[in-house]
Amino acid sequence: MAIIDLTREDHSYFFGLFQTDGHLQGGTRQRGKATIELAVKDIDLLLQLPHLFDGVKSTVSTRTRTTNFAATYTSATWRMCNLAFRRELELSGVPVGRKSKEVSPPSRQFHQRGYFRGLLDGDGSVGFTRAGLPFIGFVTASSSLADYFCSTVKNITGAERTAKRNARDDIFSLMVASEPASRLAEWAYPQGCLALNRKSTAAAAVAAWVRPQGMRARPVFGRQPWTLEEDTVVASTKVKEAAMLLGRTESAVNVRRWRLRNAATSAPATDGMEQLF
């Protein structure tokens, strides 16, 4: 009898989380282990995992070590050594060892929302830009997962996203913002769901976001005047992100950024421009 039932939301969540933050290790004489290591601040989630799968034992432990980023870093690790469980992971689409480019959504039936939330908790980001606009982002090296993110965004929000690798590091960096992000957060993180506490809290805030009065949504036709809110986004985010958030072209954002900088340096600021740069 199968241990992992991907038609269950919590099991599909676990699978998405494992594909992004987990590691499947093999060894001689059928030895090996499946692990998920997170910062100790997220240990509450890992402590729930041993209760997900009946009849198999898993453990959660912590360790403190020196890393390239901190003199003392404490992490928490969930660990499962059961051979049948590890084989099910492999059959469901998790290779042993490095997996970043190889993983893809399960080929058999699975719970869409749970799986998507697991991916976001592993390699996603949920929150607000410095300009106060809500967003949901996802970074992956897998073309299959990138396509799945885009198709899910389309199905849930209607927003079109195209998966394209970043030329610098050969990964996909995808994002939705404003109303699509709000709708996606509400769908992906229902109240009481199995998830990282910090991301479910952020998702609740994103889901509750309402566009401020006077903030333009997306250009419909013709020349659209720039608002102070849009100028704040242009000044505080990268060109590509600002274009995506505002529904304008990167060329238009570049021109607007140049004009704002030129105005800020050539004349006394009278309209709040001194706060943008």
Side-chain angles (χ1 to χ4, degrees), residues 11-28:
H11 282 202
S12 274
Y13 168 82
F14 165 85
F15 192 74
L17 180 68
F18 193 90
Q19 281 190 321
T20 48
D21 261 350
H23 180 70
L24 188 58
Q25 178 182 331
T28 59

Side-chain angles (χ1 to χ4, degrees), residues 65-185:
R65 65 189 188 280
T66 299
T67 70
N68 293 333
F69 307 101
T72 56
Y73 171 75
T74 302
S75 63
T77 301
W78 169 88
R79 183 178 290 99
M80 167 81 78
C81 297
N82 184 277
L83 177 60
F85 184 88
R86 290 187 283 115
R87 282 179 172 169
E88 283 193 35
L89 284 177
E90 286 192 70
L91 291 173
S92 297
V94 179
V96 174
R98 294 181 63 87
K99 58 178 171 38
S100 57
K101 286 189 176 183
E102 299 178 29
V103 290
S104 60
S107 56
R108 55 194 173 100
Q109 184 179 3
F110 63 97
H111 195 286
Q112 299 284 337
R113 182 174 62 188
Y115 178 69
F116 187 80
R117 186 170 65 251
L119 296 180
L120 288 184
D121 273 7
D123 282 342
S125 51
V126 182
F128 291 81
T129 67
R130 283 182 292 177
L133 290 178
F135 74 93
I136 291 180
F138 182 60
V139 177
T140 182
S142 164
S143 58
S144 295
L145 293 190
D147 289 340
Y148 177 74
F149 178 86
C150 293
S151 65
T152 301
V153 168
K154 172 67 175 177
N155 292 336
I156 301 303
T157 73
E160 296 276 2
R161 289 294 178 269
T162 301
K164 185 177 180 181
R165 288 190 185 275
N166 185 313
R168 183 184 65 182
D169 44 23
D170 199 35
I171 64 172
F172 299 92
S173 183
L174 306 163
M175 185 179 68
V176 291
S178 302
E179 283 85 359
S182 182
R183 289 194 292 271
L184 191 63

Side-chain angles (χ1 to χ4, degrees), residues 10 35 54 63 93 111 116 122 130 157 170 181 188-190 194 214 220 222 263:
D10 53 357
T35 58
D54 297 331
R63 65 169 175 163
H111 195 286
F116 187 80
R130 283 182 292 177
T157 73
D170 199 35
Y189 288 85
L194 179 64
V220 181

Side-chain angles (χ1 to χ4, degrees), residues 2 5 13 15 23 29 32 35 43 59 70 93 97 130 134 140 183 197 208 216-218 225 243 256 264 275:
D5 180 3
Y13 168 82
F15 192 74
H23 180 70
R29 292 183 292 175
T35 58
I43 193 172
T59 60
R130 283 182 292 177
T140 182
R183 289 194 292 271
N197 287 334
R216 185 181 62 85
R218 292 183 65 90
R256 186 59 178 174
Q275 299 178 11

